[in-house]
Amino acid sequence: MAPVNAVMRIIDVPLRRLQKATGIGGMATFFLAPNMLIFGIFVLLPLVINFVYSMTGGTAFFLSERDFIGGEQYSRLFQCQNYLDPMSCQEDAFWTAVGNTFWFVVLQVSLMILTALITALILNRELAARSFWRAVFFFPVLLSPVVVGLIWKWILQRQGLLNFGLYQFGMDPYTWLTDRNWTFAATIGVSLWAHMGFYALIILAGLQAIPKDLYEAAEMDGTKPARVFWRITLPLLAPNLLVVVVLALIKSVQVFDEIYVLTGGGPGTSTLFLTQYIYETGFASALRNPGLAAAASILMGGVLVVLTLIQLGIGKRGENKGKR
Amino acid sequence: MGEIKLTDVKKSFGALAVLKDIDLHIKDGEFVVFVGPSGCGKSTLLRTIAGLEKVSGGEIAIDGKRVNEVTAADRGLAMVFQSYALYPHMSVRQNLAFGLENSNMPKAEITERINEAARMLEIEAYMDRRPGQLSGGQRQRVAIGRAIVRRPTAFLLDEPLSNLDAELRVSTRAELAALHARLGSTMIYVTHDQVEAMTLAHRIVVMRAGKIEQVGTPLELYNEPANRFVAGFIGAPHMNFLGADVLAVSAGAATLSFSRGYRADLQIGKAKLHVGEKVTVGVRPQHLVVSDDPQHPAVKIYLVEALGSETVVHGDLGGEKVLAVLPGQQKLNAGDTVHFDLSKPVLHVFDDNGLRLFTHPGSGA
Ligand SMILES: Nc1ncnc2c1ncn2[C@@H]1O[C@H](COP(=O)(O)OP(=O)(O)O)[C@@H](O)[C@H]1O
Ligand SMILES: [Mg+2]
């Protein structure tokens, strides 16, 4: 303990001086400052800069070389004859990406919750080698998105593992990644595979936090398993499920890296999602337009904020009605 | 009806034998308390009766019917859990109704049963609150209410009072006794607190390490403990145990020699003792009486606790710790020496294996 005490004494002196000078409240500011600084530089400032970018035009990267054009980028994004038909819009790629992302989010998030819940329920039972199975389902979460994309590309491509397997069983190979529907399904399947373990883990933690004796009380009363699930497990799992929905939704709207590696948005624009649109518009295309990309990302951020607020509102209401 | 018969019941968790050959016959309407130190298998025994644990051997019968293969729900028993196990997201009313709804009972009857239980337990005022909005004592009542509405053949209660504060525990204890008198159903009650056992039970089952040590009424256990363990467990403060040698034996009497050569003459009745045998003598703290005669064993006092109504004396008798509860307020201090007449109190004499050989009736104070 002696060295610890010595260090403490050294720190003690300046801190006491500081507190005398600033008062207790000032100390809170002092301790929070480093964090606030990092948050300010790496989150808040880019947000503001991004917003400024969305008000400028041209292809130049430096803000000083860009012209202020007000809300023109936004009105360009919304320039449409018919919002349900992307092709009638000036920025048809944006609206295609919005449509793709919408369907992706709806399908992926609902399947995600369903599969994660079922997986967690199974992993929560007394089964042989339970730790092993828990690890197996969590393992893909640890992979880098690029690796995920490459693994599945290697499986699904024309001369990939899947077709090799089909061939072995005497079936015809198929060009999965050039079929619009199969590719879209694959993006959902791959992202489920890659992230499901994470959400299953959150739900599993929630399941294990439910006291065993509630189930025993239900057992004494002869409660049928389905009723136990709907009336006990699910309501008590609600807080965890809410967290899962919020996180899964945000992640799903932002889907990019593993899908970009797997499909590159194709075939055609069938798996072009919002983040990829933003990336390509701002950085990768020949006619890059950072202002338009910034405007699209501000819109996307706005949607995420609204979604999250709605969910937190639902959660709050449930909580007030609920336990404590 | 609620007659429960256990024959040769065994329970193991893997290699760990938690219950060993439990034989017990609980009569209809009886209030039976399982008592024993923590980890002795009381909860496990209760849970095997409930059907929450499968027995590893032996038979459980309810009202003459073997129920080993019968599910917990179909045994007709209700359990009150130590943690209460109330559903936190349901109101009190929903908690009470939940079990009844499983059996497709008509709504009107459910309502009637709930209202009756609510009246009986005086929980009507908070039927629409959730468990989280109730005090510990209120939650406890709801847990009992949830058992009552099922009209079970027997109630199983696992340390139901252990989460209450001391005062509430005493009053709830009395209410439980009254409830039992009113319902007349069999109750099996688990506790590690021998005072609870003594005050509530018709019969107490004393357990140790998965075995039943003795079954009897509270006073039977107090007056005629089968062995040293029961003698030490029942009664507060614990019985004093002193080592002694048998010096001489004659018809119906014996002379024992305690440490430092103190002697006492005991009436041994028909018990058989051998000269030279080593025995343990148990004497309750309340039975010790101070003597003026310096010939009697000397006890050096190291702590005096004056409780007003009585005085608790901690002392040392020839190297062995003794505790005496003396009536009223005694003028004694740490460091004093007192003498205890060992032929006057009731003395329980145990053999080498801890079994009680006989009880010296004493001559009172
Ligand atoms: N599910 C279980 N798995 C393994 N051991 C258990 C289990 N339940 C109880 N035990 C063990 O059985 C013994 C008795 O436990 P229990 O019946 O809860 O004791 P008590 O209620 O008398 O304190 C303890 O040693 C405990 O560790
Ligand atoms: Mg227990």
Side-chain angles (χ1 to χ4, degrees):
Chain A
M1 284 329 270
V4 175
N5 285 339
V7 172
M8 291 307 281
R9 257 197 299 277
I10 295 170
I11 302 175
D12 206 41
V13 178
L15 284 185
R16 272 174 199 282
R17 289 239 176 95
L18 190 66
Q19 182 168 332
K20 234 178 227 145
T22 61
I24 295 270
M27 289 305 280
T29 315
F30 173 74
F31 285 122
L32 285 173
N35 243 322
M36 288 301 172
L37 209 65
I38 289 171
F39 182 78
I41 292 174
F42 293 103
V43 179
L44 223 49
L45 190 63
L47 204 69
V48 173
I49 294 176
N50 189 47
F51 186 69
V52 175
Y53 262 95
S54 76
M55 303 289 212
T56 59
T59 54
F61 263 125
F62 292 106
L63 213 46
S64 54
E65 298 164 15
R66 298 176 60 82
D67 318 316
F68 182 81
I69 55 168
E72 218 168 87
Q73 304 283 22
Y74 293 94
S75 55
R76 175 168 173 193
L77 284 177
F78 282 102
Q79 192 84 216
C80 272
Q81 248 93 60
N82 172 7
Y83 284 107
L84 293 179
D85 176 16
M87 288 310 146
S88 74
C89 302
Q90 186 180 357
E91 270 305 310
D92 57 314
F94 174 71
W95 288 101
T96 304
V98 168
N100 286 345
T101 307
F102 174 80
W103 286 115
F104 180 85
V105 168
V106 168
L107 292 170
Q108 194 249 18
V109 171
S110 40
L111 284 174
M112 180 70 88
I113 289 159
L114 202 68
T115 49
L117 181 60
I118 291 170
T119 308
L121 285 170
I122 292 170
L123 292 181
N124 194 37
R125 315 190 104 200
E126 303 285 328
L127 47 98
R130 185 160 63 170
S131 319
F132 168 75
W133 290 114
R134 286 181 183 176
V136 163
F137 282 97
F138 190 71
F139 189 67
V141 176
L142 303 175
L143 296 179
S144 136
V146 174
V147 173
V148 170
L150 288 176
I151 288 175
W152 283 95
K153 195 168 184 173
W154 184 60
I155 293 173
L156 295 171
Q157 66 195 356
R158 197 160 57 86
Q159 293 183 324
L161 204 61
L162 180 60
N163 279 339
F164 178 73
L166 289 176
Y167 178 75
Q168 294 296 309
F169 285 100
M171 281 176 276
D172 287 335
Y174 188 71
T175 50
W176 306 101
L177 291 179
T178 58
D179 178 312
R180 300 179 75 87
N181 294 328
W182 277 114
T183 307
F184 195 79
T187 61
I188 290 174
V190 168
S191 71
L192 280 180
W193 179 83
H195 304 294
M196 196 270 285
F198 176 68
Y199 301 111
L201 199 72
I202 297 178
I203 297 175
L204 189 60
L207 285 174
Q208 289 181 337
I210 300 175
K212 290 264 174 304
D213 48 17
L214 294 187
Y215 291 110
E216 290 183 341
E219 186 184 344
M220 291 298 293
D221 288 342
T223 317
K224 298 219 166 57
R227 190 161 193 250
V228 170
F229 176 75
W230 290 108
R231 293 293 308 276
I232 298 174
T233 305
L234 211 53
L236 292 177
L237 211 52
N240 291 63
L241 284 177
L242 184 74
V243 170
V244 168
V245 171
V246 171
L247 293 181
L249 212 84
I250 292 174
K251 259 209 104 140
S252 181
V253 172
Q254 295 173 332
V255 61
F256 176 53
D257 23 26
E258 64 248 21
I259 304 305
Y260 186 66
V261 172
L262 178 66
T263 72
T269 55
S270 58
T271 58
L272 172 69
F273 298 119
L274 255 180
T275 311
Q276 187 184 339
Y277 166 81
I278 291 167
Y279 164 67
E280 288 184 338
T281 306
F283 304 97
S285 70
L287 269 172
R288 62 170 185 244
N289 187 344
L292 195 62
S297 61
I298 291 279
L299 289 178
M300 180 171 139
V303 170
L304 283 177
V305 168
V306 170
L307 283 178
T308 309
L309 287 180
I310 291 172
Q311 283 156 2
L312 291 182
I314 293 171
K316 274 261 167 51
R317 223 182 42 212
E319 224 165 83
N320 290 344
K321 224 168 52 170
K323 285 169 272 181
R324 242 146 242 283
Chain B
M1 288 296 287
E3 181 204 25
I4 296 170
K5 196 161 181 203
L6 308 180
T7 316
D8 228 8
V9 167
K10 299 177 188 48
K11 175 71 191 174
S12 311
F13 292 108
L16 178 70
V18 174
L19 297 176
K20 299 159 194 162
D21 306 322
I22 301 287
D23 282 297
L24 185 63
H25 187 178
I26 297 167
K27 295 192 267 300
D28 180 38
E30 215 177 1
F31 199 129
V32 171
V33 175
F34 297 168
V35 70
S38 217
C40 70
K42 310 176 294 287
S43 296
T44 306
L45 182 55
L46 195 73
R47 291 163 55 80
T48 52
I49 295 174
L52 292 171
E53 304 280 1
K54 275 203 168 63
V55 298
S56 314
E59 187 183 83
I60 300 176
I62 299 177
D63 292 332
K65 270 200 272 316
R66 175 183 162 101
V67 295
N68 287 32
E69 290 76 24
V70 176
T71 62
D74 293 335
R75 292 188 189 189
L77 311 174
M79 183 124 165
V80 177
F81 293 83
Q82 182 171 3
S83 63
Y84 312 142
L86 298 174
Y87 307 119
H89 56 296
M90 298 184 202
S91 69
V92 170
R93 194 184 304 281
Q94 288 167 329
N95 262 285
L96 298 190
F98 189 80
L100 301 180
E101 286 162 2
N102 287 329
S103 49
N104 293 326
M105 187 181 284
K107 274 234 155 54
E109 188 178 353
I110 293 180
T111 311
E112 188 198 310
R113 283 195 185 192
I114 289 178
N115 290 342
E116 186 195 333
R119 255 197 315 279
M120 200 187 297
L121 295 166
E122 294 168 21
I123 55 176
E124 289 151 303
Y126 39 87
M127 291 301 280
D128 294 311
R129 286 198 220 159
R130 285 167 197 254
Q133 301 164 314
L134 302 179
S135 72
Q138 292 169 330
R139 269 181 241 180
Q140 218 275 331
R141 280 161 189 272
V142 176
I144 291 175
R146 190 169 64 177
I148 288 178
V149 293
R150 296 197 51 219
R151 309 230 168 117
T153 50
F155 289 87
L156 311 176
L157 304 104
D158 193 353
E159 312 224 11
L161 306 185
S162 62
N163 289 332
L164 303 180
D165 61 57
E167 209 170 310
L168 202 54
R169 198 147 57 211
V170 173
S171 63
T172 313
R173 201 165 73 197
E175 285 175 34
L176 258 179
L179 189 72
H180 174 256
R182 175 162 175 186
L183 295 172
S185 341
T186 309
M187 287 195 180
I188 307 179
Y189 184 105
V190 163
T191 180
H192 64 269
D193 178 352
Q194 57 94 20
V195 179
E196 253 171 46
M198 294 293 279
T199 50
L200 281 171
H202 292 160
R203 281 197 303 157
I204 296 178
V205 177
V206 182
M207 293 180 65
R208 173 169 63 155
K211 281 198 170 127
I212 294 181
E213 293 283 321
Q214 191 174 3
V215 182
T217 66
L219 289 186
E220 274 168 13
L221 299 189
Y222 188 84
N223 293 329
E224 295 156 36
N227 54 46
R228 214 184 125 158
F229 175 77
V230 175
F233 197 80
I234 300 291
H238 295 323
M239 189 182 272
N240 297 299
F241 293 106
L242 304 169
D245 295 318
V246 180
L247 265 191
V249 183
S250 59
T255 305
L256 299 191
S257 149
F258 294 89
S259 61
R260 302 267 160 87
Y262 294 121
R263 288 175 192 191
D265 294 322
L266 273 62
Q267 302 167 37
I268 67 171
K270 293 199 174 69
K272 290 213 164 33
L273 276 188
H274 310 288
V275 173
E277 190 176 350
K278 287 207 179 307
V279 294
T280 303
V281 175
V283 55
R284 296 206 181 274
Q286 292 86 347
H287 291 169
L288 284 170
V289 278
V290 178
S291 155
D292 298 331
D293 186 348
Q295 297 295 308
H296 286 138
V299 170
K300 184 136 169 77
I301 298 174
Y302 59 83
L303 179 66
V304 176
E305 295 169 320
L307 303 181
S309 63
E310 55 192 27
T311 305
V312 181
V313 174
H314 299 251
D316 177 294
L317 192 156
E320 290 176 304
K321 260 172 64 175
V322 286
L323 199 89
V325 177
L326 304 174
Q329 302 175 3
Q330 306 274 340
K331 290 201 171 48
L332 291 171
N333 292 304
D336 291 355
T337 298
V338 288
H339 298 270
F340 287 127
D341 182 349
L342 282 186
S343 60
K344 279 203 175 143
V346 177
L347 297 178
H348 301 283
V349 179
F350 305 94
D351 70 9
D352 249 4
N353 299 321
L355 289 178
R356 186 172 58 97
L357 295 168
F358 66 93
T359 294
H360 166 72
S363 56

